[in-house]
Amino acid sequence: MPQTIKDKVEELKSSIDLVALDEVIESYDYSTDPILSQYDHTIEDMLWRRIEHYGAGECNYGQVLSAHLRRVSLDGREFLMNELGFSDKAANNFQVANLFHDLGKTHKEYDRTIWNLPHRPTQEERLEKRLHTVRGAELFLEAIDDLPDELKNHPHLAIVIPALQIFHHERVNGSGYVGRTGDQMGKLIKALCIADCKDGDLVRRGHHVTQRTEKEALLRMKGLSEYDGDCKYVGAFDAMLDQYIHYREKKTGEKILP
């Protein structure tokens, strides 16, 4: 039997090497790559419109989602390039690929209200929301399925975008959605997990009384009891979090760590 899209995503979950991903992102240049240059990017444009217009006229969640994706992609790009030693081309490759890491939130299986609940998510709702990582990869692989093999198998489309979709909620202690641990993660995916978590914690949800500040979000990610009351982030990040915080201190001029 031919392999289904769901089968392909499950294979990627187990087969993508997140340490080697650091080398993959350096192996091409999205702006000048001879294979990618044959591709007019209409699929990416279509998927981006899908994100931007998600829930238009109803919940309008696409406006929140697209703004989040832009911020994380730019923030991650600058962190990778200015602090972690990645090249300009790799940082740019990341920025354009990462715009789709939350594509799965637009999947037809979702009730759109799940993204701004008036209450804390139930365990069932949490598990449903977690599926957006694999659903995003499914949507993306379906969208590129008719492309020529040379394009479809290019690392930007075959590895980088699906990896950022599937693994952007990993934690070094193995408590993330797929369960990869720190020794199984390279710098690229760790950086994304930090930048995405910080920005996501700044989005005010329907059940939030107030909106967190960036300092509050980052100290919560440190697992400090006065900020992380439910111990959600204890052990979730390694020393790269302090490196990211120092980068944000330089960027914003705000002192965060004592």
Side-chain angles (χ1 to χ4, degrees), residues 20-236:
L21 191 63
D22 290 358
E23 296 180 2
V24 175
I25 201 77
E26 291 279 7
S27 68
Y28 64 96
D29 186 334
Y30 179 86
S31 300
T32 61
D33 187 272
I35 295 176
L36 293 177
S37 64
Q38 301 174 39
Y39 164 50
D40 63 8
H41 307 297
T42 55
I43 291 175
E44 289 166 295
D45 292 342
M46 177 269 292
L47 293 176
W48 184 249
R49 287 194 300 272
R50 176 188 179 116
I51 291 169
E52 281 193 308
H53 297 291
Y54 180 69
E58 300 173 39
C59 63
N60 294 318
Y61 184 67
Q63 296 175 16
V64 175
L65 182 58
S66 58
H68 164 70
L69 291 169
R70 285 194 185 98
R71 288 192 303 268
V72 174
S73 298
L74 178 59
D75 186 35
R77 179 188 192 281
E78 293 183 350
F79 183 49
L80 292 170
M81 185 172 58
N82 296 329
E83 302 293 332
L84 298 181
F86 285 80
S87 67
D88 289 8
K89 70 174 184 180
N92 181 61
N93 293 343
F94 165 81
Q95 184 176 11
V96 294
N98 191 62
L99 289 171
F100 303 102
H101 82 242
D102 272 339
L103 175 64
K105 291 184 176 181
T106 71
H107 197 281
K108 65 181 180 181
E109 292 296 322
Y110 280 118
D111 179 340
R112 293 169 179 174
T113 61
I114 200 170
W115 305 116
N116 192 28
L117 296 167
H119 57 268
R120 285 187 176 277
T122 64
Q123 182 60 18
E124 182 181 1
E125 287 166 338
R126 289 180 193 278
L127 293 174
E128 179 70 11
K129 291 170 73 174
R130 282 185 169 216
L131 294 175
H132 79 272
T133 56
V134 292
R135 286 175 174 173
E138 289 171 8
L139 288 172
F140 184 73
L141 294 184
E142 285 172 1
I144 68 170
D145 196 41
D146 291 331
L147 289 177
D149 286 346
E150 184 180 40
L151 274 174
K152 192 163 55 176
N153 295 328
H154 189 282
H156 184 75
L157 303 181
I159 300 172
V160 174
I161 291 179
L164 302 183
Q165 292 176 316
I166 295 169
F167 298 105
H168 67 272
H169 281 286
E170 295 311 288
R171 304 291 182 251
V172 299
N173 60 5
S175 65
Y177 290 8
V178 180
R180 297 288 183 94
T181 53
D183 61 316
Q184 299 171 313
M185 299 162 64
K187 293 192 293 184
L188 177 69
I189 204 69
K190 286 182 182 180
L192 169 56
C193 291
I194 290 170
D196 178 65
C197 181
K198 187 282 298 282
D199 196 85
D201 268 10
L202 293 180
V203 176
R204 188 172 179 179
R205 316 292 176 180
H207 64 281
H208 289 170
V209 177
T210 59
Q211 182 173 351
R212 292 187 186 95
T213 65
E214 179 170 12
K215 180 176 181 177
E216 289 169 340
L218 288 169
L219 292 178
R220 183 175 184 240
M221 290 167 63
K222 289 275 293 176
L224 301 180
S225 58
E226 60 267 47
Y227 297 96
D228 186 24
D230 55 3
C231 300
K232 178 178 180 180
Y233 292 121
V234 174

